[in-house]
Amino acid sequence: MKLKDKVGIITGATSGMGEAIAKTFAKEGVQLILSGRNVERGQSLEKQLSNAVFVPGDITDPTYNKQLVDTAINIYGKLDILSLNAGVLGLGNVEELPIEAWHSTLNTNLSSIFYTSKHALPHLQKSEHGNILINASIAAFKSFPNHPAYCASKAGAVALMKQMAVEYAPKVRVNAMCPGPVDTPLLWESAKAFENPEKAVANAEKATLLKRLGTPMDIAKLALFLVSEDSSWITGTTITIDGGIINT
Ligand SMILES: NC(=O)c1ccc[n+]([C@@H]2O[C@H](COP(=O)([O-])OP(=O)(O)OC[C@H]3O[C@@H](n4cnc5c(N)ncnc54)[C@H](O)[C@@H]3O)[C@@H](O)[C@H]2O)c1
């Protein structure tokens, strides 16, 4: 096991990549706090993993972020890893996107990273293995129509990652994954920004150099690498995992 007896919080754990990361980390020995909004899916995942506790809530609420950290400390007595995956899209061009949707997208995709990290960092600095891993997106570097809040929030997440890496080295490593199109509910939601969503997903698949969509497990394997000792000399960086689509 690569992460035996480590303690981690995973946000966005009830679906897509967060769920795959939770399953992968649990197999590698991490004792988990699972964060998500969907109580049914969260409780079901908690049952499947023997070493996990589901704490339901809204990641845009700073008090919920504190609750996640407090729960980890109360139950396991320490905290080693944050894997931050919660994300929403906020679709519509700048003229159409309601101001409320702008704020909720920024709050979910960016401010929540600040909230969780803020409460977790005092504990992560005490760990021999302090790690923050942010799930950003190629949207941090490449623009997509009708995703203004999403692109801005992901670019912000990458900037925050780099800032925290500088501030908290060498105690805590901070990195970000930047996925391309991965087959999750969010990808299909994102495709609604295009006239023909099915065609948009098929086009994205064709546009990857490797001619397939990513799977949640592709991302979970990278997440495992980035929080394990295998990447012990990596901090303050983004790894693009996108089948090569950023080059097209
Ligand atoms: N799927 C893709 O193609 C893709 C590509 C690049 C980056 N990403 C990023 O990967 C991350 C995971 O997304 P996914 O594709 O697995 O999609 P997903 O929709 O399966 O997962 C997103 C999770 O975030 C949770 N979430 C959203 N708002 C929340 C809130 N206010 N409080 C608590 N939880 C909340 C959702 O409930 C969901 O479980 C996201 O940050 C997304 O932006 C996805």
Side-chain angles (χ1 to χ4, degrees):
M1 285 192 202
K2 290 192 175 200
L3 297 168
K4 195 169 176 339
D5 296 332
K6 302 292 183 282
V7 174
I9 294 172
I10 302 192
T11 72
T14 57
S15 68
M17 300 183 214
E19 183 180 349
I21 292 170
K23 289 178 177 166
T24 302
F25 283 13
K27 258 193 216 150
E28 295 293 336
V30 186
Q31 297 169 302
L32 291 170
I33 299 294
L34 307 172
S35 158
R37 284 179 303 187
N38 189 305
V39 173
E40 204 180 308
R41 288 204 306 259
Q43 287 177 342
S44 155
L45 185 62
E46 184 187 52
K47 270 191 211 134
Q48 289 169 51
L49 311 175
S50 55
N51 44 353
V53 174
F54 173 57
V55 182
D58 181 344
I59 205 73
T60 64
D61 174 1
T63 61
Y64 169 64
N65 288 271
K66 183 171 185 315
Q67 189 195 349
L68 290 172
V69 173
D70 289 348
T71 309
I73 300 302
N74 290 340
I75 297 176
Y76 304 120
K78 64 167 186 160
L79 182 59
D80 304 294
I81 298 166
L82 289 186
S83 166
L84 305 176
N85 305 286
V88 289
L89 294 164
L91 293 182
N93 67 28
V94 167
E95 290 161 280
E96 295 156 0
L97 188 72
I99 288 175
E100 225 173 61
W102 166 265
H103 284 303
S104 67
T105 306
L106 268 286
N107 286 341
T108 308
N109 298 2
L110 177 56
S111 299
S112 74
I113 296 171
F114 167 73
Y115 302 147
T116 326
S117 302
K118 179 179 182 61
H119 296 298
L121 273 161
H123 305 286
L124 294 175
Q125 288 174 89
K126 287 183 205 150
S127 163
E128 293 291 299
H129 191 90
N131 263 281
I132 299 177
L133 179 59
I134 294 166
N135 199 338
S137 168
I138 55 168
F141 316 117
K142 187 176 164 86
S143 288
F144 296 95
N146 292 315
H147 288 65
Y150 189 75
C151 291
S153 66
K154 294 298 186 179
V158 167
L160 177 58
M161 174 278 290
K162 289 184 184 173
Q163 197 285 332
M164 291 195 291
V166 168
E167 190 105 58
Y168 292 98
K171 286 262 173 198
V172 182
R173 292 196 298 122
V174 192
N175 290 295
M177 305 183 287
C178 289
V182 179
D183 196 356
T184 70
L186 192 116
L187 177 70
W188 289 93
E189 193 58 36
S190 176
K192 289 182 187 163
F194 298 84
E195 215 168 287
N196 182 338
E198 299 251 327
K199 202 172 163 200
V201 172
N203 285 344
E205 182 166 4
K206 265 191 235 147
T208 64
L209 300 182
L210 299 177
K211 302 297 170 207
R212 71 169 175 88
L213 297 176
T215 66
M217 205 38 84
D218 287 325
I219 310 303
K221 285 180 198 163
L222 176 61
L224 175 60
F225 170 69
L226 283 173
V227 304
S228 74
E229 284 304 301
D230 290 345
S231 64
S232 63
W233 206 48
I234 296 181
T235 195
T237 203
T238 54
I239 295 193
T240 297
I241 173 163
D242 68 342
I245 201 170
I246 202 149
N247 300 298
T248 63

